[in-house]
Amino acid sequence: MKPLDALRAEAAEFRAAVAAAPEPTIGWDVLGLRRWGHKAWWRLLREHVEPPRLALAVFVGVIIGTSPFFGLHLVLCLLAAFTLRLNKLAVWLAANVSLPFFAPFLAFASAQVGHFLLHGRWSNLDLASLEEAGLRGLLWLWILGFPFVGAALGAVMAAIVWRLAELRHRRGRGVPPRGEPGSEER
């Protein structure tokens, strides 16, 4: 299936699922926006929540979040989630790994990895090397290094989410967690 066809199929499935979502009880509603918002939220919480898909959604979201393309993260998240048929909310939430407090550390790590890939050594942390690289040079180092930093951080976060989602999924089916009496080991 071509990516554009997959995107269209996922969008059509999402629209149909929102239309089939239970009707909320709402006191007021302007142009049906509040009703649609409740139904869309209901769908977002329940789509593609199998543990492997949820972990992949977090992995993809973290990679997008570590990228220097601020302002495009939401668009990139939606494109990736629709194309790969992932939970849109999980991808977007994971992309928020680049909140203002963490963004400088992610940028620094990505630029260091980019410098290591280009030069085979880590960058010096002095003013002269920063001035030599310049803003454009640092941006290129960030672009070169972010997939590696994002993949490493995303793998850790995806493993955590996979385990938590698996526990929740097993608990929802009435299966005791692994290692407890009554659970069968795989």
Side-chain angles (χ1 to χ4, degrees):
M1 182 183 279
K2 295 180 183 176
L4 193 55
D5 292 337
L7 186 67
R8 286 184 185 130
E10 178 70 8
E13 181 182 312
F14 184 77
R15 278 193 306 272
V18 168
E23 287 292 328
T25 55
I26 298 175
W28 58 271
D29 195 4
V30 177
L31 303 174
L33 293 177
R34 194 164 170 221
R35 188 177 123 267
W36 185 88
H38 276 271
K39 291 173 83 163
W41 181 252
W42 183 89
R43 176 60 186 159
L44 286 172
L45 291 176
R46 288 163 180 79
E47 73 171 351
H48 309 303
V49 291
E50 303 83 21
R53 292 186 87 152
L54 211 50
L56 182 60
V58 169
F59 180 76
V60 169
V62 170
I63 290 175
I64 291 170
T66 57
S67 75
F69 309 120
F70 293 105
L72 296 176
H73 284 179
L74 179 61
V75 173
L76 293 172
C77 286
L78 289 175
L79 274 172
F82 272 110
T83 304
L84 300 174
R85 300 177 65 87
L86 300 172
N87 186 298
K88 291 134 193 76
L89 187 60
V91 174
W92 177 74
L93 286 172
N96 283 304
V97 71
S98 60
L99 290 172
F101 179 75
F102 300 111
F105 300 107
L106 294 172
F108 173 75
S110 297
Q112 281 285 15
V113 169
H115 190 275
F116 184 82
L117 290 171
L118 282 179
H119 305 290
R121 60 181 168 75
W122 300 110
S123 173
N124 295 331
L125 296 178
D126 58 358
L127 191 57
S129 64
L130 290 176
E131 286 177 351
E132 178 185 330
L135 189 58
R136 183 175 283 168
L138 288 173
L139 181 62
W140 283 114
L141 291 175
W142 187 358
I143 289 172
L144 183 61
F146 91 83
F148 300 99
V149 172
L153 184 60
V156 171
M157 292 180 73
I160 293 168
V161 166
W162 188 326
R163 180 64 179 146
L164 292 175
E166 185 180 73
L167 287 173
R168 186 170 189 265
H169 188 70
R170 292 173 66 87
R171 197 170 295 131
R173 292 186 318 206
V175 178
R178 286 188 216 166
E180 289 188 10
S183 69
E184 65 273 351
E185 293 291 327
R186 290 188 212 177

